[in-house]
């Protein structure tokens, strides 16, 4: 670029000299160079090869086939709560509730209860609250897994699973989740810590929610 600028300046000077009638020789000397510059500035044909592009036909997504291949996508939430064997309400046979958890706008919790009808047992239930939902809910179908955690040997934890359709204000579970005397009396079983606490883990998998 700098060379072209210098050449341009020289050409301008020659033109001025010619106009002023002082340098006809310079013009003659520049003719050949100007012709070469003109040739260099001409448009040239570029040898560009043909380029082929891959083209795909637009497809329609078959949602039924997609679900069949991938399965139903579930929303899963897991929470763990700790209870104490010596809790007064529990010993009196009252229901002891966890905090309320919100799962896709659903207000739910689970509770335990000590039963002494025939043999002492620990009852465990999941409840879909009657109110407090962030959106109107008519029913919810879900799979719930409860696990009584063994703090010494996690693989020996006791687990049960159910699938149920809940209406607001209803609960579902087991009145005999485990036998009380077999599990929650003897610390050697591994379910109680040093302070007589035991932990229950709940996993809530939403299958379908009907809202209104």
């Amino acid at each position: 670029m700098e060379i072209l600028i210098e050449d341009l300046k020289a050409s301008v000077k020659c033109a001025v000299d010619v106009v002023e009638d002082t340098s006809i020789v310079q013009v003659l000397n520049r003719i050949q160079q100007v012709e070469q510059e003109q040739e260099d500035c001409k448009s040239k044909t570029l040898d560009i090869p043909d380029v082929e592009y891959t083209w795909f036909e637009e497809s329609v997504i078959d949602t039924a086939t997609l679900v069949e291949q991938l399965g139903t996508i579930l929303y899963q939430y897991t929470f763990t709560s700790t209870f104490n064997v010596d809790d007064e309400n529990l010993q009196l046979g009252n229901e002891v509730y966890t905090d309320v958890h919100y799962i896709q706008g659903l207000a739910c919790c689970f509770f335990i209860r000590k039963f002494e009808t025939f043999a002492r047992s620990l009852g465990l239930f999941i409840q879909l609250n009657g109110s407090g939902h962030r959106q109107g809910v008519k029913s919810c179908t879900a799979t719930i897994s409860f696990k009584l955690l063994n703090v010494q040997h996690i693989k020996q934890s006791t687990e049960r699973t159910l699938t149920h359709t809940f209406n607001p204000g209803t609960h579902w579970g087991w009145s005999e989740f485990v036998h009380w005397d077999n599990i929650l009396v003897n610390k050697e079983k591994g379910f109680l810590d040093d302070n007589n606490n035991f932990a229950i883990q709940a996993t809530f998998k939403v299958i379908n929610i009907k809202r209104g």
Side-chain angles (χ1 to χ4, degrees):
M1 179 61 73
E2 293 180 354
I3 295 175
L4 291 176
I5 292 174
E6 292 300 323
D7 290 343
L8 182 59
K9 289 180 178 180
S11 298
V12 172
K13 184 178 185 304
C14 288
V16 172
D17 291 341
V18 170
V19 172
E20 294 179 351
D21 215 8
T22 58
S23 182
I24 295 185
V25 176
Q26 292 186 28
V27 174
L28 296 176
N29 292 336
R30 291 284 297 169
I31 289 177
Q32 185 177 359
Q33 184 176 352
V34 170
E35 290 176 348
Q36 183 62 42
E37 291 175 355
Q38 183 181 10
E39 182 67 24
D40 294 340
C41 293
K42 286 183 178 179
S43 299
K44 293 181 173 58
T45 302
L46 300 179
D47 186 14
I48 300 177
D50 295 334
V51 179
E52 296 182 357
Y53 297 92
T54 304
W55 179 83
F56 296 96
E57 184 178 354
E58 184 178 359
S59 300
V60 178
I61 297 176
D62 186 349
T63 55
T65 303
L66 191 62
V67 171
E68 182 180 349
Q69 293 178 352
L70 298 180
T72 304
I73 298 176
L74 303 178
Y75 181 88
Q76 177 174 311
Y77 184 76
T78 299
F79 49 92
T80 303
S81 296
T82 302
F83 305 90
N84 190 278
V85 168
D86 301 320
D87 184 280
E88 183 177 356
N89 286 318
L90 186 60
Q91 290 296 336
L92 291 175
N94 297 327
E95 298 170 350
V96 180
Y97 289 82
T98 66
D99 295 332
V100 175
H101 297 269
Y102 288 92
I103 305 171
Q104 286 192 311
L106 303 177
C108 64
C109 63
F110 71 88
F111 63 89
I112 63 172
R113 181 180 174 186
K114 182 180 180 181
F115 288 90
E116 298 193 40
T117 305
F118 300 104
R120 294 196 300 178
S121 63
L122 175 68
L124 186 53
F125 304 87
I126 187 80
Q127 176 173 291
L128 185 62
N129 290 6
S131 60
H133 306 292
R134 293 173 181 170
Q135 298 178 6
V137 176
K138 289 185 176 181
S139 65
C140 173
T141 302
T143 297
I144 299 95
S145 296
F146 283 119
K147 182 184 291 186
L148 178 61
L149 300 179
N150 190 306
V151 295
Q152 294 182 7
H153 306 285
I154 192 66
K155 292 184 178 180
Q156 296 181 13
S157 300
T158 300
E159 184 175 10
R160 289 193 181 188
T161 301
L162 63 87
T163 299
H164 185 69
T165 298
F166 298 87
N167 296 317
T170 63
H171 62 266
W172 200 262
W174 295 270
S175 58
E176 294 184 7
F177 186 79
V178 293
H179 293 292
W180 187 278
D181 293 335
N182 292 343
I183 301 296
L184 298 177
V185 173
N186 188 354
K187 288 187 178 181
E188 294 181 358
K189 297 289 184 178
F191 293 92
L192 298 176
D193 64 13
D194 295 337
N195 297 316
N196 286 339
N197 294 319
F198 61 95
I200 296 175
Q201 183 182 84
T203 300
F204 196 100
K205 296 181 180 178
V206 176
I207 299 175
N208 184 47
I209 300 175
K210 290 185 178 180
R211 305 183 187 274

